[in-house]
Amino acid sequence: MVSTGLVITATMSMANVVINDPRSLVLLPRFGIEFGFGDQTVEDICRSKGIDVNLFLLMVNTFLSPNYFPSKMLRYKESNLELLLVYLQKSHNYYLEVKIPKLHLHIEDFLSTAKHPAMLQLKAFFNEYIQEVREHISYEEQTAFPYIQLFISNNSDKALDSNYTITEFRKHHSDIEEKLSDLKNLLIKYLPPSSDSYLQVTILRELIDLENDLVNHARIEDKILIPIVEQLEQTLK
Ligand SMILES: [Fe+2]
């Protein structure tokens, strides 16, 4: 059963976290947490993996609940920022290497089952969308993350001397989720008939899943990553 609004705490068993809200499943590999955790609590697992449990709770709760607000703000630590970047990079890899290729294959399959003029449009729209996601991720990985990395590697002087600030990242955060949601809405309304209706269901489910994951991912960037770096820029200036 998916429970919305349940706040994950340190003393909960990790198995219950997943059972209560299976959306949390996808997060575990991003933290390097393997399955088969038995009855261990969130705190036990974080300790054995060297993960700051408060950061873990902040990220998981922010991912799962749009309105989650931590009771106290996290104090900056280099290791936290590093964990955040690793987590975000792993989610980017998941989109580029798992989710999008899978969706691509399903769409190719679908194109071969239905001959309809709208199919070409669908293909073009999808390709355009993939291109946007790639550009968005490559901006983050080639510009924003190396800048943040300077703070982690004790090169904050270099970061502060550069022309870049994290405000750029906030501004640059484009509307890829919105585009995906347009694509999904378009398909729900106008998906051409096909001999394989389960394939239609699979495509729509994959799109909805990717859309949710991307929205929740952006929330971690906006509500956790950017404020930590803004705080650093202000205190080190
Ligand atoms: Fe990102």
Side-chain angles (χ1 to χ4, degrees):
M1 186 187 85
V2 177
S3 144
T4 49
L6 175 82
V7 175
I8 312 294
T9 61
T11 53
M12 262 182 184
S13 84
M14 191 63 95
N16 274 340
V17 171
V18 175
I19 292 165
N20 277 302
D21 195 335
R23 290 175 305 153
S24 58
L25 260 177
V26 84
L27 304 180
L28 302 183
R30 297 176 192 170
F31 285 101
I33 296 172
E34 290 113 14
F35 295 99
F37 25 68
D39 290 322
Q40 291 184 86
T41 63
V42 167
E43 198 166 25
D44 293 336
I45 293 173
C46 285
R47 198 178 305 120
S48 71
K49 287 279 166 193
I51 300 168
D52 180 332
V53 68
N54 291 321
L55 178 66
F56 179 84
L57 294 173
L58 177 64
M59 288 168 71
V60 173
N61 283 312
T62 302
F63 185 93
L64 297 176
S65 315
N67 298 323
Y68 176 75
F69 198 76
S71 53
K72 55 178 188 240
M73 206 43 217
L74 203 68
R75 260 191 330 119
Y76 164 73
K77 279 191 228 155
E78 277 86 354
S79 57
N80 284 350
L81 211 44
E82 211 167 343
L83 180 72
L84 258 166
L85 286 194
V86 170
Y87 169 94
L88 293 169
Q89 262 152 354
K90 283 193 178 167
S91 21
H92 289 168
N93 291 349
Y94 180 65
Y95 305 140
L96 294 179
E97 287 162 24
V98 180
K99 294 301 271 185
I100 290 178
K102 201 161 145 198
L103 203 47
H104 194 80
L105 278 180
H106 289 318
I107 289 193
E108 287 294 324
D109 251 13
F110 184 63
L111 290 171
S112 65
T113 67
K115 300 271 171 270
H116 190 281
M119 299 307 273
L120 282 177
Q121 257 170 295
L122 162 64
K123 194 177 181 173
F125 202 110
F126 183 69
N127 288 340
E128 218 177 280
Y129 175 72
I130 292 180
Q131 193 46 34
E132 285 244 4
V133 176
R134 285 191 198 286
E135 278 167 23
H136 175 83
I137 289 180
S138 107
Y139 165 79
E140 290 187 1
E141 297 206 343
Q142 284 168 28
T143 307
F145 291 1
Y147 169 77
I148 298 168
Q149 200 70 48
L150 289 174
F151 290 100
I152 301 173
S153 58
N154 272 329
N155 281 309
S156 39
D157 290 354
K158 259 195 205 157
L160 296 172
D161 283 348
S162 70
N163 288 326
Y164 190 81
T165 67
I166 206 68
T167 319
E168 295 286 321
F169 183 25
R170 208 188 265 288
K171 275 193 269 169
H172 199 275
H173 235 166
S174 67
D175 50 0
I176 53 170
E177 299 98 34
E178 213 175 288
K179 283 236 164 53
L180 185 61
S181 153
D182 288 348
L183 176 62
K184 180 198 70 188
N185 295 346
L186 207 75
L187 289 184
I188 289 177
K189 289 183 193 162
Y190 305 110
L191 198 60
S194 152
S195 52
D196 187 348
S197 49
Y198 285 116
L199 186 54
Q200 294 180 303
V201 174
T202 307
I203 291 177
L204 290 173
R205 284 188 118 146
E206 281 292 328
L207 277 173
I208 292 167
D209 194 48
L210 179 61
E211 181 191 9
N212 288 336
D213 202 336
L214 281 168
V215 168
N216 300 342
H217 170 88
R219 201 163 53 242
I220 289 188
E221 291 174 340
D222 290 339
K223 286 177 84 173
I224 306 177
L225 180 74
I226 295 176
I228 291 183
V229 180
E230 271 173 348
Q231 195 191 328
L232 269 176
E233 286 174 342
Q234 276 157 20
T235 48
L236 296 172
K237 223 189 262 169

